Amino acid sequence: MQSVLPELVALLSDVVPRLARITVFIAVGVFAANVAVAFGLIRYVAGLAGWLTRPANLPDEVGTAILTTAASTTAGYATLAEYRESGLLDDRATLVAVTINTFFGFVQHVFTFYIPVLIPILGTTTGVVYVSARAGIALAITVTGVLAGGLLLSERNVDRSALADVDASGPDADDRTRRERVRDAAEKSRSTLRRIVPRLAAVYTLVIALVTYYDVEGLTSAAEPITGVLGLPGAAVPVIAVYTLDTVAGAVTLAGTEAGVFTTRTAVASLLIGGILSFAVSTFRRSIPFQYGIWGAEFGTKVIAVNTALKIVFISLTVALLLAPVW
């Protein structure tokens, strides 16, 4: 019993701060989105998003959640989850909206991580090419979502009458005072948090425990045969292996290699391959806790599967393009 207690304390000391931070982000994002809806701002933002949603056969209001993702992933996903639960979107339409979300989820990381952190580590040329490649991949997935919506969605997948249940009518049809709108937004946010946070806490604790007590580094053994087939330098193996577990550490590993070992193309390809292999780790560390917390296990698994499959496909195509002998 005494040997178990320190491990439990260590696990909780790791989980609780992370969970608290994520909960704050969700609370602030969801409350801000609900206040925007309560004051009718959705009406104006939705007009900007129409160029995305209309070709995909989605309501303009769904574009609000998609654009919100550029500022807050949790707020964007939480709003889409609310649209799904209200009946506005069925599962197929929600998956299309989540796919369209991809580029806007990437945008926020450009300013918070890629520009201030990764580009200085990798150097201007390699850093800009890598970030541009990731931007192109994210944009390709978003365009795929728009095209999929145009081909696969119809009025049967969208119940526009459900918009009344998500307060999308705007201020002209709302006689509540400002205080009442804010109070209602807060109550609505509390309801969302009561649904999401307990599930998020349970799954996050389980995932952190698995990552802590399971040797995830064994997953990186797949890197060596891949680099050999692709003709990457031997130095790519440790870069890919480290990048699989930690993005910044992988970038530092690449930056620390001798000049001339990597070309810009092989350096970027190595990082992208590390990104493919890191999905196994990041799925356990981040995707499962987040997606299961937002959607529940069944639909959350579908979201993870679609996101991962599309990323692997487009990253693989980008790597093939970078390493094509025609260059």
Side-chain angles (χ1 to χ4, degrees):
M1 180 67 179
Q2 291 180 346
S3 61
V4 174
L5 185 59
E7 292 183 358
L8 181 60
V9 172
L11 177 63
L12 291 178
S13 66
D14 189 17
V15 170
V16 171
R18 297 191 196 187
L19 181 63
R21 186 168 59 251
I22 293 172
T23 300
V24 170
F25 287 151
I26 292 176
V28 172
V30 170
F31 178 68
N34 284 330
V35 168
V37 170
F39 281 88
L41 299 181
I42 187 172
R43 200 176 49 172
Y44 306 106
V45 179
L48 298 175
W51 65 274
L52 279 175
T53 54
R54 289 166 195 159
N57 294 321
L58 291 171
D60 287 354
E61 288 77 7
V62 174
T64 305
I66 292 172
L67 292 181
T68 299
T69 305
S72 170
T73 303
T74 53
Y77 270 86
T79 304
L80 286 179
E82 185 175 356
Y83 285 158
R84 175 174 173 263
E85 292 186 2
S86 71
L88 173 63
L89 305 177
D90 69 2
D91 284 2
R92 180 182 293 183
T94 303
L95 284 173
V96 168
V98 168
T99 302
I100 296 173
N101 246 346
T102 304
F103 179 74
F104 298 93
F106 171 84
V107 166
Q108 64 170 300
H109 297 300
V110 171
F111 301 101
T112 60
F113 175 69
Y114 287 111
I115 290 177
V117 178
L118 210 60
I119 289 179
I121 293 173
L122 294 174
T124 303
T125 301
T126 301
V128 169
V129 172
Y130 176 72
V131 174
S132 298
R134 292 303 299 257
I137 291 165
L139 182 59
I141 294 174
T142 289
V143 171
T144 298
V146 174
L147 295 176
L151 293 172
L152 302 176
L153 299 184
S154 67
E155 289 297 326
R156 292 176 298 178
N157 305 107
V158 178
D159 181 8
R160 296 177 189 272
S161 65
L163 283 172
D165 298 328
V166 290
D167 297 332
S169 56
D172 293 341
D174 193 340
D175 57 359
R176 292 175 297 171
T177 65
R178 291 187 176 185
R179 179 174 295 180
E180 288 172 338
R181 293 179 189 180
V182 172
R183 186 172 61 246
D184 289 346
E187 179 57 38
K188 201 171 184 181
S189 300
R190 279 195 294 270
S191 176
T192 301
L193 291 173
R194 283 196 298 267
R195 173 175 54 83
I196 291 176
V197 173
R199 186 166 60 199
L200 180 64
V203 176
Y204 207 88
T205 302
L206 176 61
V207 168
I208 295 299
L210 288 174
V211 172
T212 301
Y213 299 110
Y214 181 73
D215 182 18
V216 294
E217 293 188 12
L219 295 172
T220 63
S221 60
E224 192 164 0
I226 292 175
T227 56
V229 170
L230 296 177
L232 294 172
V237 174
V239 170
I240 293 171
V242 175
Y243 191 93
T244 298
L245 299 174
D246 185 86
T247 302
V248 175
V252 170
T253 303
L254 187 145
T257 58
E258 294 182 10
V261 173
F262 287 96
T263 65
T264 299
R265 291 192 292 123
T266 57
V268 173
S270 297
L271 294 175
L272 291 175
I273 293 170
I276 292 176
L277 297 179
S278 71
F279 289 145
V281 177
S282 63
T283 294
F284 275 99
R285 284 182 174 175
R286 294 185 292 273
S287 295
I288 288 178
F290 178 75
Q291 301 294 359
Y292 280 25
I294 294 291
W295 309 104
E298 183 178 356
F299 191 72
T301 300
K302 293 180 182 179
V303 171
I304 292 171
V306 170
N307 281 341
T308 301
L310 288 171
K311 286 178 181 177
I312 289 175
V313 168
F314 283 103
I315 289 176
S316 299
L317 290 174
T318 304
V319 170
L321 180 61
L322 285 168
L323 299 180
V326 297
W327 286 59

